[in-house]
Structure formats: C-alpha cells, structure tokens
C-alpha cells in the first residue's frame, strides 16, 4: 500500500510539473507577444542605450554606481554616428498636468528632440511635433498624449492653449495619436507630454539634476541592428575617452524578442 501511495504521489508530482511547465510557457509566450506589441510603438529597429538594463538579473549595485549618461555624451554620439543612424536622446520625469480646473495627477513629461517621431512609430494626430527651432530657442511648447487631451480638454480643441506642467506653463502645439498602455501595466503612452529637451533642462534641471538620459538609435534596417550595437559600444568608448579594457558601463537593448 505504501509503495502504491508513493507511486501515486510521484505520478501526481510529474503531472504538476508538466502543468507548471505548460503554464510557464504559455505565460512566457503571452509576455513575448506583449513585448512585441509594446515595441511596435517604440521601434523594433532601434537600439536603446541607457545606464541601467531594462531587466536586472544580477546585483543591482553592479549598475547603480555606473556614471550617468548626459546630453553632451548623447550629442557627441549623434555626431559620431551621423550618416549611419538617427540618434535621439530623451529624459523624463513625472509631474501633474493642469488646464483650468482639470488635472492629470501623474503624467510622464519627456524631454526629447524632433527625432522622436523618427525612432518611434507614433505621430501627432493633430497639430505638429517638435521642430529644431523649438529646441534651439528652448521654447515653452508641448505635444500631449491622447488621454491627456481627453482628460483636460474633453471635446475642445487644445491647440494653442496653455497648460501647466508641474509649476511651468507650455503651449500645446500637437496631440499624439492614440497608442494605449504597454505590456503588463507598464507606462501608458497616452499619458505622456513631450517638450524640447533643451526646455526640459531649463525648467527641470540638467546635468546636476541626477536624471538619466536615455538614447534611442535607429538603425537603417533591422538587418543592420546587430552591427549597429557593436558600433554604438565602440563610439561610446570614444565619447567617454576610455582606455582599452575599460568597461563602457552602458546597457544596450533592442526591441527584438
């Protein structure tokens, strides 16, 4: 009887193990599909350069003490890759956004450049996106996400209106098309406000603010993505003036699953 009982428990254990593996594989497939859907909005032919990896599987402290990427480094990388890839730096912060009595308590404010809509598939539904002269003159203008428009303006036209972003004002010049949320409760792309990165530096602080600059580098094709990763590492070594053997201390990610 004891042997039969042990045999039954062994069989039950095997069945539970098989079910767990199937469940895990199903969840993994769902996660992969969600990742693909999210990256369709930010670009599958884009290499992302950041201080921290997207998923930390080792000791967090290995990455915490890395030097921050700043805008000057992003600009030098852009110059080094000119003609080979499109480089777009961005930096973000969460702040309330207000128009008259309507408020969105926590919107993602993104300081970026006119190249944002090149590295991303998202484009304005109405109005326009940022232009080089907006960055050059640090203009107080913004492009708002679809849900920001709905919650602040309802059916009214927001173009030309002034909104409060934190404690600062900016004029709405465009509204992004509807994009929705990213995978597994990640950032809602429709709750974003884009402002010139130069304006972001002016109102929220630059190098001394302690915020990470992230860099998106669009490859000329998906086939060129792997080679571009190696190029970026080499160019970042030059940008930081590293000696042979010194670690570049940046994370390189792509939207390929």
């Amino acid at each position: 009887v004891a042997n039969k009982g042990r045999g039954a428990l062994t069989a039950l254990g095997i069945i539970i193990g098989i079910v767990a593996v199937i469940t895990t594989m199903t969840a993994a497939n769902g996660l992969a599909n969600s990742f693909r859907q999210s990256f369709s909005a930010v670009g599958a032919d884009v290499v992302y350069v950041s201080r921290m990896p997207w998923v930390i599987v080792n000791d967090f402290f290995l990455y915490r003490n890395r030097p921050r990427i700043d805008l000057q480094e992003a600009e030098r990388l852009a110059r080094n890759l000119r003609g080979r890839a499109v480089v777009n730096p961005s930096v973000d912060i969460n702040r309330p956004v207000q128009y008259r009595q309507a408020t969105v308590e926590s919107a993602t404010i993104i300081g970026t450049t006119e190249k944002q809509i090149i590295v991303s598939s998202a484009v304005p539904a109405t109005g326009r996106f940022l232009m080089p002269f907006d960055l050059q003159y640090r203009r107080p203008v913004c492009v708002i996400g679809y849900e920001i428009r709905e919650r602040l303006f309802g059916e009214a036209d927001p173009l030309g209106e002034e909104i409060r972003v934190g404690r600062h004002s900016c004029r709405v010049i465009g509204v992004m098309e509807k994009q929705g949320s990213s995978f597994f409760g990640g950032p809602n792309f429709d709750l974003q406000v884009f402002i010139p990165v130069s304006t972001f530096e002016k109102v929220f602080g630059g190098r001394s603010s302690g915020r990470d600059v992230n860099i998106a580098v669009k490859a000329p094709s998906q086939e060129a993505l792997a080679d571009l990763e190696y190029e970026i590492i080499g160019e970042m070594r030059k940008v930081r003036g590293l000696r042979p053997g010194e670690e570049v201390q940046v994370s390189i990610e792509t939207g390929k699953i």
Side-chain angles (χ1 to χ4, degrees):
V1 174
N3 288 337
K4 289 182 178 179
R6 282 195 294 271
L9 288 173
T10 300
L12 179 60
I14 292 171
I15 292 169
I16 291 173
I18 292 171
V19 171
V21 168
I22 292 171
T23 302
T24 301
M25 290 177 66
T26 302
N29 288 335
L31 179 61
N33 288 334
S34 296
F35 264 89
R36 289 190 187 97
Q37 290 170 3
S38 295
F39 285 123
S40 68
V42 294
D45 57 350
V46 177
V47 178
Y48 301 91
V49 186
S50 57
R51 179 172 68 100
M52 305 286 283
W54 288 350
V55 179
I56 297 176
V57 294
N58 298 315
D59 188 346
F60 169 77
F61 294 98
L62 293 174
Y63 308 105
R64 187 190 69 170
N65 295 325
R66 283 178 168 180
R68 297 184 184 277
I69 300 172
D70 60 36
L71 282 173
Q72 288 72 25
E73 290 178 325
E75 289 166 0
R76 288 197 289 272
L77 179 64
R79 287 195 296 270
N80 292 354
L81 291 175
R82 186 170 294 151
R84 291 181 283 165
V86 176
V87 178
N88 183 67
S90 65
V91 61
D92 62 83
I93 191 172
N94 281 0
R95 285 290 184 272
V97 178
Q98 183 178 4
Y99 176 71
R100 296 179 180 173
Q101 303 305 311
T103 301
V104 174
E105 290 296 339
S106 183
T108 302
I109 316 305
I110 300 175
T112 188
T113 78
E114 75 281 0
K115 297 182 178 70
Q116 175 75 31
I117 58 174
I118 299 175
V119 301
S120 168
S121 61
V123 296
T126 59
R128 66 171 177 86
F129 199 70
L130 305 174
M131 300 288 283
F133 59 81
D134 294 320
L135 279 79
Q136 181 180 353
Y137 297 108
R138 298 186 173 189
R139 299 183 69 206
V141 294
C142 58
V143 181
I144 61 176
Y146 188 86
E147 189 170 335
I148 298 283
R149 183 198 68 80
E150 283 192 327
R151 290 168 63 174
L152 293 188
F153 294 95
E155 297 300 319
D157 183 4
L159 297 183
E161 297 293 335
E162 296 274 340
I163 64 173
R164 296 282 295 178
V165 176
R167 292 179 297 173
H168 308 277
S169 296
C170 67
R171 180 171 58 86
V172 179
I173 58 172
V175 179
M176 298 300 288
E177 64 183 2
K178 188 172 184 178
Q179 299 176 76
S181 299
S182 62
F183 55 86
F184 281 81
N188 184 341
F189 297 122
D190 294 327
L191 284 176
Q192 296 177 335
V193 177
F194 298 95
I195 66 175
V197 69
S198 53
T199 306
F200 188 102
E201 274 196 301
K202 179 181 177 182
V203 300
F204 296 119
R207 184 190 292 267
S208 62
S209 67
R211 296 187 187 90
D212 286 314
V213 172
N214 299 297
I215 306 173
V217 185
K218 186 178 178 67
S221 66
Q222 286 199 31
E223 292 72 26
L225 204 62
D227 290 339
L228 181 60
E229 291 182 49
Y230 289 108
E231 285 188 68
I232 290 169
I233 293 171
E235 295 299 343
M236 283 299 296
R237 295 186 65 82
K238 296 177 187 176
V239 165
R240 290 188 160 177
L242 299 176
R243 299 190 187 97
E246 287 186 297
E247 186 184 355
V248 69
Q249 297 194 74
V250 297
S251 292
I252 304 293
E253 314 276 2
T254 69
K256 294 180 68 176
I257 301 297

